[in-house]
Amino acid sequence: MPGQNRRAVAVILLVPLMVTLALWAFSWPAARTAPRDLPLGVAGTAPAADQLQEQLERREGAFEIHRYDDADAARAAIEDRVVYGAVVATEKGPHLLTASAASPIVSQLLREAVTAAAPAGAAVPVTDVVAAPGTDPRGGVLGASILPLALAGVASGAVVTLMKLRGARAAVTLTGAAVLVGVAATAVAHSWLGVITGNWWAEAGAIGLTVVAIGAAVAGLAALIGTPGIGLGALLMVLLGNPFSGVTSAPELLPEPVGMIGQWLPPGAGGSLLRSVAFFDGSAAGGAVATLAIWAVLGLAAVLIGGRTRQGNPDRAEPSERKPAPALTG
């Protein structure tokens, strides 16, 4: 009975703690959304371009200004995902270039900021250089897709662990499940809904790499520290990785250092990679690919090492895996 009482008290305390953590992780970044060193281009010749830059820099810490000689250079920077948008100084006044495919929220924020900096009553023309697809103009579907991918990765890692798959068999299972998730998710998002519009196989690869990075991390933690590793992996990938990913807005809009941490975790890196291959022909995808690859390799290595350790040390096997002692005969 004392043991049951302790477990009951632990549950009573653990549930409110988990709810509080979830509310903090999901609500705090959303409540503190604001531009923080948001990459923004300014194009044109002095003194008009200098004046635009000075006006934008009055919002201290909001924008990271990149200067370009003309509108063509600014467009190229947007298409390469160097900046989210650019303000071009023209004879008729400022002209805003945006990329709603990079973030509809940032595009709207730039419209408001540039309009506020323009002369009173002046209309600011806007050109959407890389537009979000008409089937998802606000980016809601793309933003909502990261949570299912995180859940798929956690589920694959948990199932592999609970089914007691070890070593190479576990690694192959995690990889195969991720490949199928990538194909199935791309068939839904690209072929059916039309909310991502890039190279089909590149999108499937991005989704598959995201899922295997998450699944391998969860299974790897479980292989190293046991079943509690599943909970730790779920905490990292779902409760922190999903709200810190910045996919629904932009990493630069989240409080520091949340945006940076989110890009180090697979959900954030996976969201950035999917956006790059879906709308920007893979531009600026290198960092996200490297992050996901590191998580996948380390996780799979832990799975392989954990499997060999258990095989080489039968005393560490799960109780159900141990062979029963032979019965004594009289």
Side-chain angles (χ1 to χ4, degrees), residues 170-228:
V172 171
T173 302
L174 289 166
T175 304
V179 169
L180 291 180
V181 170
V183 171
T186 306
V188 172
H190 183 119
S191 303
W192 179 33
L193 299 177
V195 296
I196 52 179
T197 58
N199 179 275
W200 201 97
W201 289 108
E203 293 165 350
I207 294 171
L209 181 57
T210 302
V211 174
V212 76
I214 296 172
V218 172
L221 286 170
L224 294 176
I225 65 175
T227 305

Side-chain angles (χ1 to χ4, degrees), residues 29-38 59 62 109 250-255:
R32 297 292 185 268
T33 298
R36 296 171 176 86
D37 292 325
L38 185 75
R59 298 180 61 172
L109 184 150
E252 294 84 359
L253 297 186
L254 300 180

Side-chain angles (χ1 to χ4, degrees), residues 18 21 154 229-242 265:
M18 294 301 295
L21 177 62
V154 171
I230 297 175
L232 178 58
L235 177 69
L236 280 174
M237 303 303 168
V238 178
L239 283 184
L240 295 182
N242 186 61
L265 296 173

Side-chain angles (χ1 to χ4, degrees), residues 244-269:
F244 287 12
S245 68
V247 177
T248 57
S249 55
E252 294 84 359
L253 297 186
L254 300 180
E256 296 178 351
V258 167
M260 180 176 60
I261 293 173
Q263 295 307 296
W264 291 344
L265 296 173

Side-chain angles (χ1 to χ4, degrees), residues 152-165:
V154 171
S156 66
V159 169
V160 163
T161 300
L162 297 177
M163 290 184 67
K164 298 180 174 61
L165 298 178

